[in-house]
Amino acid sequence: MKYWQLPQAVEEVLPEQASALEALRRELLDLYKHWGYELVFPPLIEYSESLLTGLGADLDLLTFKLTDQLTGRTLGIRADITPQVARIDAHSYLKRGVSRLCYAGTTLHTHPKSLMASRCPVQVGAELYGDSSEQADIEIIRLLIETLRTSGVGALTLDIGHVGVYQAVFAAADIDQNDTDIFDALQRKSAPDLAVALQDKPAQTREWLTALMNMHGDIDTLDRARQTFGSSVPAVSQAIDQIETVIKALSAVAQDIDWYVDLAELRGLNYHTGLVFAAYAKGAGQALANGGRYDSVGQIYGRARAATGFAVDLKTLLAQGRYTAKSQGAISVPAIMDTKLESLINDLRANGQIVIRALLNEHDERCDREIVLIDDVWTVRPIGKTNV
């Protein structure tokens, strides 16, 4: 039985699901194309220093590494396509002004990101470069909403935050952002662990960090944050203003979206620099999509650019949404060679029809029509219908 086993959290995609997966992939890439996003195909594998430099330990831990047999250098199998697209924008595709890029491809993780997650997600996403304004963030989140709508996702909640909030609070409290004990406690929202990590800190620091951990909830959370940090940590107000601008603009065009504000949101890949967001569907235990601003990533490739984008896993979308590929049926054709029959088959296939030869003189189970010879003319008719 061991020969049939797959690694944990690695799955194969069988025909019915594969058909829906491919149909959704094509539909989403067409959606992005119609919004002006150009398709790129980053490589599956790169030198690890190119793939990971400056992107944080979390992405490093997710990445499989191996030795290149040609050079002896370490290679990484991509765990996230976003940094690769940032490299393309910064180094390979030197377009002036705003650049819009999209992609679709398989990634590989050393371990699942959550209990139900796959280690080989099919990642699809869109990235916008060259504009640091809230309008760019609004466009990206609108496109994310359209992505989820296209995928058949129903009731939708957008979790939104801003990396600048905790960065400003850490700076004002004179705390190193790399302090793992404090960071991990905040990330897990563990009040006891945070209290232990802060026990030797000044009272003001303990008060600010404890308040930050509890800054999550409905939109009123933004007012609470202003009251708590507004006068003493001015940079927090700037971040809150950006969040409010984005929520107000999107609420006008997507009135059915529920909003959840989390100003201590520290999960995810830590290359983000500004607004961050995640999308959840009712009943789903994990985020359907993640995204945010990552203005500094391109700098390591030689071109620092404003950047924002999102990524989704097609497998998760299929599992949580109501998307089904359009079924068109198929046409069964006798397994014989005939010039007129071949001409008809070619015409049908050219017009998008599925035509399957009846090997072993049996119709494929997908076929709802057949080609038969009636009065010396090859004719398409429903299976089971007689000539009478």
Side-chain angles (χ1 to χ4, degrees):
M1 291 298 294
K2 65 181 181 180
Y3 300 112
W4 304 102
Q5 293 177 348
L6 289 171
Q8 185 177 354
V10 172
E11 64 288 315
E12 54 201 357
V13 183
L14 300 181
E16 184 176 357
Q17 186 185 22
S19 177
L21 193 76
E22 175 62 11
L24 180 56
R25 184 191 70 86
R26 293 185 183 188
E27 194 165 346
L28 292 179
L29 290 180
D30 282 343
L31 170 68
Y32 304 157
K33 178 181 177 180
H34 296 154
W35 280 56
Y37 288 74
E38 300 175 284
L39 181 64
V40 293
F41 285 92
L44 178 65
I45 194 167
E46 297 191 34
Y47 291 121
S48 59
E49 60 265 31
S50 172
L51 198 61
L52 299 171
T53 300
L55 296 178
D58 47 1
L59 185 57
D60 190 17
L61 291 173
L62 277 177
T63 301
F64 275 99
K65 303 177 186 70
L66 62 157
T67 301
D68 184 3
Q69 297 300 307
L70 297 180
T71 66
R73 295 171 63 183
T74 301
L75 300 173
I77 302 174
R78 66 187 183 198
D80 181 24
I81 299 178
T82 297
Q84 292 185 293
V85 181
R87 176 182 53 77
I88 289 174
D89 174 75
H91 182 73
S92 307
Y93 188 56
L94 300 176
K95 183 177 180 180
R96 292 185 178 181
V98 173
S99 176
R100 294 174 171 88
L101 300 176
C102 65
Y103 59 84
T106 300
T107 58
L108 187 63
H109 295 169
T110 54
H111 56 85
K113 293 175 69 175
S114 64
L115 184 63
M116 301 301 294
S118 170
R119 294 169 68 194
C120 46
V122 179
Q123 185 176 330
V124 175
E127 317 291 337
L128 192 155
Y129 301 94
D131 187 346
S132 60
S133 73
E134 289 89 351
Q135 290 304 314
D137 297 312
I138 291 167
E139 177 177 318
I140 278 292
I141 299 177
R142 285 191 66 186
L143 185 54
L144 169 59
I145 293 171
E146 290 301 315
T147 294
L148 298 176
R149 294 288 185 248
T150 300
S151 306
V153 176
L156 186 63
T157 297
L158 279 179
D159 183 326
I160 190 167
H162 199 295
V163 172
V165 173
Y166 91 82
Q167 288 177 338
V169 173
F170 272 44
D174 196 25
I175 293 177
D176 184 354
Q177 292 184 29
N178 296 317
D179 187 316
T180 55
D181 290 339
I182 296 176
F183 188 92
D184 289 345
L186 279 172
Q187 190 176 41
R188 293 181 286 108
K189 292 183 171 57
S190 172
D193 289 340
L194 183 62
V196 172
L198 294 174
Q199 60 185 348
D200 295 328
K201 302 296 182 182
Q204 180 68 80
T205 297
R206 296 198 301 272
E207 180 181 340
W208 278 346
L209 271 296
T210 302
L212 178 61
M213 184 184 65
N214 293 307
M215 287 295 173
H216 55 88
D218 58 24
I219 297 178
D220 291 341
T221 301
L222 298 175
D223 292 331
R224 289 197 290 118
R226 267 207 181 88
Q227 293 170 5
T228 303
F229 302 114
S231 59
S232 50
V233 191
V236 170
S237 293
Q238 297 173 12
I240 291 173
D241 288 344
Q242 292 181 17
I243 296 174
E244 285 183 332
T245 298
V246 170
I247 290 178
K248 182 177 180 180
L250 290 170
S251 296
V253 295
Q255 299 176 358
D256 56 340
I257 300 294
D258 291 327
W259 292 95
Y260 187 86
V261 175
D262 191 346
L263 300 183
E265 175 54 81
L266 307 180
R267 295 190 302 271
L269 300 170
N270 58 14
Y271 50 66
H272 289 115
T273 59
L275 198 76
V276 290
F277 49 86
Y280 293 86
K282 185 177 181 180
Q286 60 180 319
L288 299 183
N290 295 91
R293 183 160 288 281
Y294 53 101
D295 291 342
S296 62
V297 172
Q299 185 173 357
I300 65 172
Y301 305 116
R303 190 188 186 203
R305 293 257 279 173
T308 183
F310 69 85
V312 298
D313 172 24
L314 283 186
K315 293 179 181 177
T316 301
L317 287 186
L318 283 181
Q320 299 295 339
R322 297 183 177 86
Y323 182 86
T324 55
K326 297 180 177 67
S327 177
Q328 66 179 96
I331 301 171
S332 181
V333 58
I336 61 175
M337 298 301 296
D338 178 273
T339 302
K340 292 182 179 179
L341 177 59
E342 291 303 310
S343 178
L344 175 59
I345 291 172
N346 290 338
D347 288 344
L348 289 169
R349 286 174 174 162
N351 286 309
Q353 295 292 327
I354 300 172
V355 182
I356 305 174
R357 291 194 180 277
L359 300 179
L360 300 179
N361 204 29
E362 294 180 355
H363 296 310
D364 187 282
E365 63 182 11
R366 291 166 288 175
C367 294
D368 55 3
R369 290 155 291 162
E370 62 180 342
I371 297 177
V372 296
L373 192 62
I374 301 177
D375 296 332
D376 203 32
V377 176
W378 289 107
T379 305
V380 179
R381 71 175 187 184
I383 288 180
K385 184 176 181 180
T386 65
N387 296 338
V388 179

